[in-house]
RNA sequence: GGCGCGGUAGCAAAGCGGUUAUGCAGAGGCCUGCAAAGCCUUUUAGAGCGGUUCGACUCCGCUCCGCGCCUCCA
């Protein structure tokens, strides 16, 4: 039985889908005005892992991950760059696809873009207005009347009165309550035509929060199983989604928006949250110039998805060494598409770990025990190791290809092979001084030689 | 100020009320011409103070420290 930590309950709960065997899952994707950083990468890999595990468990999953392609930052950036919104967002969506593809993140079943769901957003806003939860302010913006939604705060554990005690509430004329948030922003003269839609409330564009309510409802229905996102979206974004979606269905309808809320932990740098505003972020593409993408994925999955994760080159190096051990156990094992034997003891422990709120660290520990068994007792379990790794999106490459990835410093394959031959000749002649000299030269280039039963092989060190 | 999360061995990181986490690093051994890899053995834990218990790293309380949210943010 799969158990998931539900933020709404602040506890692990048995996962029971609305419809047997089927799971609807929505995850807040990113706002595409810049390159993805490692924090985005973690969120993407975490929910990719969740999605994979649900499927491996036999569920028919509908996975929706949106793209926010309209918002203040996008507009500002496009104007700065003197390009259209579409050009800017198209560029960064392509970059995101490249980065995620490298990390082994599978495509969601649906990847809706906010700009394609404006009519659905308007419909929800209309319903909210009918239900007395939305009002148009003097400036033209349509706001959500937070005080009218009794359950406001149930996800984040905050009460409106406590929130109001917080100092940083900007005084926005037109809002009935400072905590009310915008559903529909009335158009501003200076903004490009591209971001203006007609609506019953005048020309304008949707607020940020309404996008996810509309897209999730359109693709998964009014109520669905799992909603995920980064911890920083818990408040106010997800709280507002609940207010919108449940408010539109009718506060008294008893209908629920989402059953299970999942939030992944942050990536940190020097014990501080990695973020754009702090300027301490590392983009995926810069990390991927230094580290193999699978090493990055392995690094992200080696800690629990809800724990904070510190990023540093040393930690990535550590992950590389660990993943190298797993691949070393697969040396000489052909890449095959063997499936998992779930009756096998290691697989049972792997499954138990994953079923306990996606315990990837322990699942990966089982992989190492499997590697040890292979090194000790032979290759029978190699297919099992590869197949279990595959459940996490790992260990699918040829072992040699992984071990030699990144090249051999300044040396090409032919030169390395020539050196290995030369060393072999020296060894045969029992000229060990010469043989050791050649090995040292290669090592200086980051190439490690290993004399095995089947001959000498090399890997990057 | 309000709400929440966490403090595990040299580093990273898990589970668990009583039995080896796991990876890297360290020590000894096997293997090797010597190494590397691998295998075997092994040293370093659970912030502090109380409480519950036959027994606590694991449950409860307090203290100290760190982090996050309360504003856009994965």
């Amino acid at each position: 039985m799969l158990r998931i930590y539900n933020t709404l309950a602040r506890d692990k709960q048995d996962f029971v889908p609305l419809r047997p065997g089927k799971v609807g899952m929505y995850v807040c994707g990113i706002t595409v005005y810049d390159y993805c950083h490692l924090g985005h990468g973690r969120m993407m890999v975490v929910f990719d892992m969740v999605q994979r595990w649900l499927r491996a468990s036999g569920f028919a999953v509908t996975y929706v991950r949106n793209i926010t392609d309209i918002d203040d930052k996008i507009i500002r950036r496009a104007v700065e760059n003197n390009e259209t919104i579409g050009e800017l967002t198209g560029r960064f969506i392509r970059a995101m696809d490249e980065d995620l593809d490298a990390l082994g993140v599978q495509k969601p079943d649906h990847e809706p873009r906010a700009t394609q769901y404006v009519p659905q957003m308007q419909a929800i806003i209309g319903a909210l207005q009918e239900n007395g939860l939305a009002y148009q302010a003097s400036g033209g913006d349509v706001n959500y009347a937070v005080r009218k939604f009794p359950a406001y705060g149930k996800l984040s554990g905050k009460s409106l009165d406590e929130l109001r005690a917080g100092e940083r509430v900007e005084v926005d004329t037109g809002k009935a309550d400072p905590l009310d948030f915008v559903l529909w922003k009335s158009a501003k003269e200076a903004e490009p035509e591209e971001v203006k839609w007609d609506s019953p409330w005048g020309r304008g564009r949707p607020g940020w929060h309404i996008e996810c309510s509309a897209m999730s409802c359109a693709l998964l229905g009014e109520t669905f199983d799992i909603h995920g996102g980064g911890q920083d979206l818990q408040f106010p974004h997800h709280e507002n989604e609940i207010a919108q979606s449940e408010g539109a269905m009718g506060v008294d309808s008893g209908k629920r928006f989402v059953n299970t809320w999942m939030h992944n932990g942050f990536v940190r740098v020097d014990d501080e949250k990695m973020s754009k505003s702090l300027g301490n972020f590392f983009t995926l593409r810069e990390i991927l110039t230094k580290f193999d993408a699978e090493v990055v994925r392995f690094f992200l999955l080696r800690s629990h998805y809800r724990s904070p994760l510190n990023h540093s080159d040393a930690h990535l190096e550590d992950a590389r060494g660990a993943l190298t051990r797993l691949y070393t156990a697969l040396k000489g094992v052909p890449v095959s598409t063997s499936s998992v034997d779930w009756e096998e003891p290691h697989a049972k422990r792997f499954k138990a770990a994953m079923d306990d709120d996606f315990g990837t660290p322990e699942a990966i520990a089982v992989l190492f025990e499997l590697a040890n068994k292979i090194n000790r007792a032979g290759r029978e379990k190699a297919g099992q190791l590869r197949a279990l790794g595959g459940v996490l999106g790992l260990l699918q490459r040829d072992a040699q290809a992984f071990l030699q990835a990144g090249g051999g410093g300044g040396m090409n394959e032919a030169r390395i092979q020539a050196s290995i031959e030369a060393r072999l000749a020296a060894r045969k002649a029992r000229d060990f001084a010469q043989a050791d000299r050649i090995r040292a030269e290669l090592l200086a280039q980051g190439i490690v030689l290993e004399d095995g039963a089947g001959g000498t092989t090399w890997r990057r060190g």
Side-chain angles (χ1 to χ4, degrees), chain A residues 93-219:
Chain A
I93 288 169
R94 278 194 299 281
M96 175 181 78
D97 285 342
E98 287 169 14
D99 294 342
L100 297 185
D101 195 49
L103 288 176
V105 173
Q106 294 174 335
K107 278 289 198 184
D109 298 288
H110 301 281
E111 202 170 15
R113 301 185 187 186
T115 51
Q116 298 165 336
Y117 287 81
V118 175
Q120 289 88 335
M121 297 175 203
Q122 294 185 353
I124 294 177
I125 297 170
L128 288 171
Q129 207 168 18
E130 267 179 44
N131 292 344
L133 293 165
Y135 62 94
Q136 186 158 29
S138 52
D141 287 357
V142 179
N143 294 326
Y144 192 105
V146 150
R147 292 268 166 195
K148 301 274 178 64
F149 185 71
Y152 197 81
K154 72 176 178 180
L155 178 66
S156 55
K158 299 176 191 303
S159 77
L160 284 165
D161 293 321
E162 285 161 5
L163 284 165
R164 198 156 64 168
E167 317 83 45
R168 285 175 290 181
V169 174
E170 92 271 22
V171 184
D172 185 336
T173 53
K175 283 184 179 175
D177 186 289
L179 291 159
D180 289 351
F181 58 92
V182 184
L183 295 164
W184 188 259
K185 295 186 177 189
S186 66
K188 293 183 182 62
E189 272 305 315
E191 290 174 348
E193 282 304 304
E194 210 183 345
V195 301
K196 293 173 184 168
W197 283 263
D198 288 320
S199 86
W201 313 280
R203 299 265 284 166
R205 60 187 167 93
W208 179 47
H209 307 294
I210 196 68
E211 300 174 2
C212 288
S213 283
M215 289 184 274
S216 60
C217 181
L219 292 161

Side-chain angles (χ1 to χ4, degrees), chain A residues 296-429:
Chain A
V296 177
R297 184 182 176 93
F298 178 81
F299 168 68
L300 293 172
L301 292 176
R302 201 155 69 128
S303 65
H304 188 84
Y305 77 91
R306 285 190 284 115
S307 301
L309 175 61
N310 266 302
H311 162 71
S312 75
D313 281 4
H315 295 162
L316 253 348
E317 271 302 334
D318 191 65
R320 189 176 75 85
L323 187 57
T324 294
R325 176 172 163 81
L326 292 180
Y327 265 118
T328 299
L330 292 174
K331 257 174 97 168
V333 177
V335 178
S336 63
T337 50
S338 51
S339 53
V340 177
D341 170 11
W342 291 108
E343 294 307 307
E344 190 269 339
H346 292 88
K348 284 184 175 171
R349 289 180 48 215
F350 182 98
K351 176 174 161 46
M354 291 300 286
D355 274 344
D356 184 10
D357 196 29
F358 307 96
T360 55
E362 200 174 348
I364 286 172
V366 172
L367 260 32
F368 281 101
E369 288 170 28
L370 215 35
N372 174 262
K373 182 153 182 102
I374 291 163
N375 290 331
R376 190 154 32 88
R379 295 281 156 77
E380 310 91 80
K381 301 278 189 185
Q384 183 77 331
L385 172 58
R386 220 189 253 291
L388 284 172
V391 171
L392 298 175
L394 299 168
L395 301 179
Q396 298 308 290
R397 288 195 269 171
D398 173 66
Q400 197 80 307
F402 172 83
L403 295 170
Q404 296 180 349
M411 302 184 78
N412 63 32
E413 181 109 13
R415 274 198 61 197
I416 295 168
Q417 281 309 330
S419 294
I420 289 174
E421 297 299 329
R423 175 167 168 274
L424 188 63
R427 287 179 70 204
K428 274 195 175 144

